[in-house]
Amino acid sequence: MSSKCNLPIYTLRVLNSKIYVVTSPELINAVNRNSKALAFNPFVAQLGKRITGHDEPTSHIVQHSLNGEEGPGYVIDVHDRIVAALSPGKYLEEMTKSFLNDAWHYLDRLETENVVDLFAWTRDVVTMSSTRAIYGPGNPFDKNPEFVGYFWAFDHDLNILIADILPRFLAPSGYKARSELAAAFAEYFKCYDPEVAESSAMIEARYRTNTQYGLSYRNQGCLEVGTLLGILANTVPSSFYMLARLYADPALLQDIRAELGHAALVESDDKLCVINGTALRDSCHLLNATWQELLRVHALGVGSRYVREDVLLNDQYLLEKGRVVQMPMAVLHSNPAVWGSDAYEFRPRRFLKGSDGTKGPRTNLSGYRPFGGGASLCSGRHFVALEVIALAACMIMRFDMTPVEGCWRIPVQKQESMATNVFPPESDVRVKVTKRQGYEDVQWKFELR
């Protein structure tokens, strides 16, 4: 519809209600500026219980003062504390270092177990390494690796769980997986001691907020299942597509390897190579541009807002109280008016300055919102970026990778969960991984300097 009519906003009539679909950067920025009247938090109240299965008293705690009507409530408090824990700085570096230290063991095993299904391998690495970095050793995934499968069963059935129509019978695998995860995290928090847990600052912040508001261990466990969506549901598919895109494009792979060799290798000889994680973020512009382009092409979710009061958007469009606003990323990210005639192509250098894309990162990209925007900007975006970029950098510097079937085909995405922006692939890619030619005898290390 958007490609045919090319309008900035549409009204869809659904039964007795309306949905406003906003597709222009200018109007999306106007939505972000009206964060009190056009709010994200009401969706927490409407969908949270269906997603996590917490009880009614906990719903009252979660829903109280959602938008600060009576001062900060639970949602605002926990959000602000998580933002502080995940902002660039000491805590974020500690999490990233822990993630890579754990992921490094999986990379080492590729030297001998060198034929893998790429998405399944990425899923296991990112799930296990992320949860250890965030929750510390001895977390439920650490104790029972079967929980990797439980989480993805829950994610697969999430839309049915949200519909809340006989979920025990229509989504038995997801319903059981959610219950098992919630029970395991209830036990985790029951035994949690911030002084000895070796968890991240984010989890300590969540635990202290939950305790402050008097949440039972059972309901802390339920709410943590929702947190897992933020930790894993987008990060795993993003990591898969980052690796697939890099290895599928020999010219891009060569250029990024050269950039890494110049900017991120702090020690390099025929025996030892050390990758500096700080340089990945600050000095590897093409690698970061590839990450941005990956999200432009593969982040296909929808941002939503609830209209709390009548709003004349941009002094032109009346949005009625009680309606829903949706902002589809796929439309915005593929709009030729925003991105040019090559909007449907994968071209990372569009995120760099200069006609040849060699002059550092572009900024002020109003048509780009893979992490949302305004008051609902994703608090975990810095950690996700470091996870994906660091894992990709370590992989491409250490290994070559080719599909077993002989040529790369980027799998199309399969929409499973309305809570996800980067959907998983419809099919996996079986690959052969070998030590990079010329680096067969080199030992690799990752450091943050």
Side-chain angles (χ1 to χ4, degrees):
M1 182 173 68
S2 178
S3 61
K4 290 181 180 179
C5 302
N6 196 30
L7 296 173
I9 186 169
Y10 306 84
T11 300
L12 298 181
R13 298 186 181 273
V14 181
L15 299 177
N16 294 323
S17 188
K18 297 177 182 177
I19 297 175
Y20 304 113
V21 181
V22 181
T23 61
S24 83
E26 181 184 10
L27 290 187
I28 287 174
N29 288 336
V31 170
N32 291 336
R33 289 194 298 270
N34 284 272
S35 60
K36 297 230 179 254
L38 306 174
F40 173 74
N41 283 350
F43 285 98
V44 176
Q46 293 178 7
L47 302 180
K49 184 180 178 182
R50 298 182 179 190
I51 291 173
T52 71
H54 59 260
D55 64 18
E56 197 61 35
T58 301
S59 284
H60 290 312
I61 294 172
V62 170
Q63 293 176 29
H64 177 69
S65 198
L66 268 174
N67 298 288
E69 302 91 341
E70 300 177 32
Y74 173 84
V75 169
I76 292 176
D77 273 346
V78 77
H79 172 267
D80 290 350
R81 293 171 186 178
I82 288 175
V83 167
L86 294 179
S87 295
K90 173 187 174 184
Y91 298 138
L92 183 65
E93 289 187 358
E94 288 175 350
M95 289 173 61
T96 305
K97 184 176 180 179
S98 177
F99 169 80
L100 259 297
N101 284 344
D102 194 79
W104 207 257
H105 300 300
Y106 291 88
L107 270 64
D108 287 342
R109 288 203 289 270
L110 285 176
E111 295 185 0
T112 54
E113 302 170 10
N114 59 356
V115 176
V116 297
D117 294 316
L118 184 57
F119 180 76
W121 180 85
T122 306
R123 178 197 63 199
D124 291 348
V125 174
V126 174
T127 302
M128 295 301 293
S129 300
S130 294
T131 52
R132 286 187 188 126
I134 292 170
Y135 295 101
N139 72 75
F141 287 86
D142 222 16
K143 291 181 176 180
N144 185 359
E146 289 186 5
F147 280 1
V148 176
Y150 285 166
F151 172 78
W152 293 102
F154 162 68
D155 183 68
H156 175 79
D157 284 350
L158 187 58
N159 287 351
I160 302 175
L161 295 173
I162 290 174
D164 201 28
I165 301 173
L166 301 175
R168 187 192 297 266
F169 302 101
L170 297 181
S173 296
Y175 187 90
K176 178 184 177 183
R178 182 179 68 181
S179 299
E180 294 283 351
L181 288 164
F185 275 97
E187 185 64 24
Y188 170 84
F189 283 116
K190 184 178 180 180
C191 302
Y192 184 80
D193 181 348
E195 301 300 323
V196 299
E198 299 181 52
S199 65
S200 66
M202 167 187 160
I203 296 307
E204 183 174 345
R206 286 186 59 79
Y207 173 77
R208 293 192 186 282
T209 308
N210 290 340
T211 303
Q212 173 189 337
Y213 281 85
L215 299 186
S216 69
Y217 293 124
R218 175 193 175 276
N219 287 292
Q220 290 188 47
C222 289
L223 292 175
E224 210 58 34
V225 177
T227 301
L228 289 172
L229 287 170
I231 294 171
L232 300 172
N234 294 298
T235 310
V236 169
S238 296
S239 297
F240 165 81
Y241 278 109
M242 186 72 166
L243 292 173
R245 287 288 184 180
L246 289 172
Y247 281 108
D249 187 333
L252 178 64
L253 180 64
Q254 180 179 349
D255 288 347
I256 292 181
R257 279 174 167 170
E259 177 181 70
L260 288 167
H262 173 74
L265 288 188
V266 290
E267 295 179 29
S268 181
D269 55 38
D270 58 354
K271 296 296 182 182
L272 176 67
C273 288
V274 180
I275 299 173
N276 177 14
T278 303
L280 300 181
R281 178 189 61 207
D282 299 336
S283 304
C284 296
H285 301 312
L286 182 56
L287 177 65
N288 282 272
T290 303
W291 163 238
Q292 290 179 285
E293 178 73 343
L294 177 133
L295 292 176
R296 187 190 72 84
V297 172
H298 290 286
L300 306 175
V302 177
S304 299
R305 300 290 185 274
Y306 180 77
V307 185
R308 299 179 63 231
E309 59 187 62
D310 286 357
V311 172
L312 191 61
L313 192 66
N314 234 26
D315 297 323
Q316 188 174 2
Y317 304 99
L318 177 63
L319 308 185
E320 298 175 350
K321 178 181 177 180
R323 310 305 189 186
V324 171
V325 176
Q326 293 194 335
M327 297 162 285
M329 295 179 196
V331 174
L332 185 64
H333 289 174
S334 61
N335 186 347
V338 176
W339 301 101
S341 59
D342 60 355
Y344 290 96
E345 298 177 18
F346 188 84
R347 193 173 68 81
R349 284 182 170 83
R350 74 173 77 246
F351 285 95
L352 299 177
K353 296 177 183 176
S355 59
D356 57 352
T358 59
K359 297 183 180 179
R362 287 178 59 195
T363 56
N364 299 322
L365 297 164
S366 60
Y368 183 70
R369 46 177 294 118
F371 293 108
S376 66
L377 189 64
C378 174
S379 56
R381 64 192 183 280
H382 300 297
F383 182 51
V384 173
L386 286 172
E387 284 182 288
V388 175
I389 288 171
L391 179 62
C394 293
M395 279 291 294
I396 66 173
M397 293 304 281
R398 290 184 63 175
F399 299 106
D400 290 319
M401 182 186 297
T402 55
V404 170
E405 293 186 354
C407 62
W408 279 101
R409 293 184 178 87
I410 305 298
V412 298
Q413 292 171 266
K414 172 178 61 176
Q415 182 174 1
E416 289 190 339
S417 165
M418 63 189 302
T420 302
N421 289 331
V422 182
F423 307 131
E426 276 194 350
S427 58
D428 212 331
V429 180
R430 193 155 183 81
V431 296
K432 182 177 182 180
V433 183
T434 56
K435 287 185 178 182
R436 187 177 163 199
Q437 188 173 2
Y439 292 82
E440 292 88 348
D441 298 323
V442 171
Q443 295 295 312
W444 291 87
K445 290 179 63 179
F446 178 88
E447 295 181 0
L448 286 170
R449 297 190 176 188

